[in-house]
Amino acid sequence: VSYGVSVNNNPGVQDPFNTLPVWRAPFTSSDLTMGPDNAPLLDDQLGGTVYGATAYAYTESGLYGEVGLYRSFGLGPIDTFNLEPGMEIKGSAPYARVAWLQDMHKSAFSVGVVAMSANLAEYNTSGPKDKFTDVGVDANYQYLGNRSNICTLDMAYIHEKRDINLVTDEDTGDTEKLSNTLNQFTMTASYYYAQTYGFTARYFNTTGSADDMLYDVTGKPDSSGYTLQWDVTPFGKESSWKAPNANVRVGVQYTAYNKVNGASKNYDGEGRDAADDNSVALFIWSSI
């Protein structure tokens, strides 16, 4: 058994499987592009504003387990690092992860579940809280072969239930339902030749329960689209000069939206269409 403790500031960033939202394809993206507003709590919604500790264990048979708790930083540290505060976790938020990996030498397969629950409210407030509960499943398959042709396929599905106690239609008109759901599905396939030339295709789809107050323009949180990426890794392979310290990847990434925030056309009420958020990004990536 291998075991240890992780201290981090983003639930899921410590996960060893590249299927959860914090660390999955496309791995890098532009911060300048627009896109959907709605995502589950586990999809990097708490990154940087929380801290937590988890204990994990991995057995020789391929079973992985992890449990831990997260809390929100105070406004002082958040202001110091110029972060958006968002909502505050009231108390502690539990996190749990179970997965199983089957290593078949030339290929590998994993399947897992993840869960997190948090009571959220505005900073420096007391009283009613909104409860967010995320439960997800994920799977991954990798074919390595003789390492000349490498293929990867992964998927993840997260279901989120939101129990709204903080604001209701009777109070402020911010939401018309006391319970909402959000569902996120992603699937990614990639192919690399000679550990150098790569192509990745990713499909993403978010759906949820309708709420004309919470989603005031379209009444729905639905978004969908795809990402295509082509890249070259001239340095950083097993046989590269000064590997693994000398490494670089250069690529181009195209993201297209079929639907954003509940609509394909005029999703913001001001004439912006989902296709207007389509983007092309060039990147150079190195790891130290």
Side-chain angles (χ1 to χ4, degrees), residues 51 90 120 125 127 132 134 142 153 159 193-194 207-208 213 216 230 238 251:
Y51 62 95
K90 299 299 183 179
L120 303 177
T125 62
F132 289 65
D134 285 17
Q142 291 187 354
L153 178 66
H159 172 77
Y193 174 70
T207 60
M213 294 294 181
D216 58 340
W230 299 265
E238 290 175 318

Side-chain angles (χ1 to χ4, degrees), residues 53-251:
T54 61
Y56 64 86
Y58 177 71
T59 70
E60 191 175 280
S61 63
L63 184 63
Y64 178 84
E66 182 177 8
V67 292
L69 294 173
Y70 285 86
R71 297 179 64 90
S72 290
F73 283 115
L75 289 178
I78 288 178
D79 290 340
T80 298
F81 291 102
N82 196 30
L83 300 171
E84 291 291 336
M87 302 285 277
E88 181 184 18
I89 296 176
K90 299 299 183 179
S92 298
Y95 172 92
R97 174 77 158 130
V98 176
W100 176 70
L101 171 68
Q102 179 64 48
D103 186 352
M104 298 170 284
H105 304 296
K106 290 188 177 183
S107 62
F109 172 79
S110 70
V111 61
V113 295
V114 63
M116 185 174 187
S117 181
N119 293 315
L120 303 177
E122 297 289 341
Y123 269 83
N124 298 327
T125 62
S126 59
K129 298 171 284 292
D130 294 344
K131 185 175 182 179
F132 289 65
T133 303
D134 285 17
V135 178
V137 295
D138 62 285
N140 171 272
Y141 175 77
Q142 291 187 354
Y143 174 78
L144 300 176
N146 61 5
R147 305 197 179 214
S148 292
N149 298 281
I150 298 175
C151 302
T152 300
L153 178 66
D154 64 61
M155 60 77 62
Y157 172 80
I158 298 176
H159 172 77
E160 179 173 87
K161 185 174 184 293
R162 302 175 176 181
D163 295 317
I164 310 299
N165 299 310
L166 185 61
V167 289
T168 65
D169 186 29
E170 291 78 10
D171 296 331
T172 63
D174 289 331
T175 180
E176 64 179 0
K177 295 180 179 178
L178 294 179
S179 182
N180 283 287
T181 60
L182 198 65
N183 306 290
Q184 182 191 78
F185 174 79
T186 61
M187 177 174 286
T188 303
S190 67
Y191 169 76
Y192 278 84
Y193 174 70
Q195 303 179 33
T196 304
Y197 307 100
F199 173 73
T200 300
R202 175 176 178 256
Y203 170 76
F204 52 88
N205 185 32
T206 298
T207 60
S209 52
D211 192 311
D212 291 333
M213 294 294 181
L214 185 61
Y215 314 111
D216 58 340
V217 178
T218 67
K220 296 180 180 179
D222 301 1
S223 298
S224 64
Y226 60 90
T227 298
L228 303 177
Q229 179 175 304
W230 299 265
D231 57 71
V232 179
T233 308
F235 303 107
K237 302 180 286 289
E238 290 175 318
S239 58
S240 294
W241 171 77
K242 295 295 185 181
N245 297 318
N247 62 83
V248 66
R249 173 169 291 176
V250 181

